[in-house]
Amino acid sequence: LTALRMTDVPLVAIVRVQPVYPAVAESRGLEGWALVQFDVLPDAREANAYLVDSRRHLFEKYALRAAYRFRLKPRVVDGEPVTTTGIQNLFRFEMPDR
């Protein structure tokens, strides 16, 4: 069993961006979701984002754009920031209650 060192820090979200709701989807009352996976680099940038799955193709590019605007503080291991792979985020596109 390895103890968590004071220099080991988990991945922390700094900015989570909500995707733009496509106007055509909103005008038609369409809802859905898109699951995006990406890596977080040591300099806090997202890389290698790709779509894992979605409810409607219409939402996919908007979810990918939002994922690239995320800012996450990278994991720190032994005092050094490291790449974290396989981070997933589910973007939901839901009509607001009126």
Side-chain angles (χ1 to χ4, degrees):
L1 186 64
T2 306
L4 183 68
R5 293 174 227 174
M6 293 303 288
T7 58
D8 293 351
V9 179
L11 188 71
V12 176
I14 298 169
V15 175
R16 286 187 179 255
V17 175
Q18 290 296 346
V20 172
Y21 207 114
V24 67
E26 189 172 14
S27 69
R28 294 180 183 166
L30 299 176
E31 296 184 327
W33 52 266
L35 180 62
V36 175
Q37 182 166 313
F38 55 91
D39 302 334
V40 177
L41 303 176
D43 65 0
R45 288 182 302 122
E46 282 64 55
N48 306 318
Y50 66 92
L51 184 75
V52 175
D53 198 4
S54 72
R55 171 70 167 80
R56 294 186 189 278
H57 293 294
L58 178 63
F59 299 119
E60 294 172 359
K61 72 178 178 181
Y62 296 94
L64 283 168
R65 285 180 188 164
Y68 271 113
R69 294 178 55 212
F70 274 23
R71 288 298 167 255
L72 291 95
K73 191 172 190 176
R75 281 184 48 234
V76 176
V77 177
D78 293 331
E80 294 293 322
V82 297
T83 297
T84 303
T85 60
I87 305 300
Q88 291 189 345
N89 193 82
L90 180 66
F91 293 94
R92 295 182 186 280
F93 295 83
E94 298 173 333
M95 297 294 295
D97 293 333
R98 295 176 192 224

